[in-house]
Amino acid sequence: MASDAPAWLENDQAPPATATTSMPSTMEIAAADNGGNNGSNNNNSARAATTSTMDEQNLPQVILMMRLANMGLAASIMTISVRSSFSALHSIACSGVCGRDG
């Protein structure tokens, strides 16, 4: 039964340690976008860092608005679906009882 197991299960060696890497900072990303030229484009990297910070501050508001819009759209779709189902059931139920069609 042990011979049916894949080779990586039968290997007694410990897996290699993974190297931990840190996320690059906004300034490093901006410097990489500028081709690494920090001398003459220092103003652009500061502007990019400011824009990134503003985007990060606005992110919770954007997520909240998207969730509210999604919930509103879902509620309207369900309301339309339920109303059309009830009107169809009502027309079927009343066709014989009410003496009218629809």
Side-chain angles (χ1 to χ4, degrees):
M1 192 101 167
S3 63
D4 294 337
W8 58 271
L9 282 177
E10 294 176 358
N11 192 359
D12 291 337
Q13 297 176 357
T18 59
T20 59
T21 58
S22 62
M23 296 295 292
S25 69
T26 307
M27 296 300 279
E28 291 171 352
I29 293 172
D33 287 343
N34 291 332
N37 187 4
N38 286 334
S40 62
N41 293 331
N42 201 10
N43 191 19
N44 288 339
S45 59
R47 198 174 323 145
T50 304
T51 304
S52 177
T53 303
M54 289 173 47
D55 288 344
E56 289 176 8
Q57 289 174 349
N58 291 337
L59 186 61
Q61 295 171 349
V62 171
I63 291 173
L64 177 64
M65 289 304 297
M66 293 301 295
R67 285 182 177 179
L68 291 174
N70 190 15
M71 286 188 339
L73 185 61
S76 64
I77 289 172
M78 287 187 285
T79 302
I80 291 169
S81 175
V82 168
R83 287 186 68 189
S84 64
S85 297
F86 279 139
S87 66
L89 288 174
H90 182 264
S91 65
I92 292 170
C94 284
S95 63
V97 177
C98 299
R100 60 184 174 106
D101 294 329

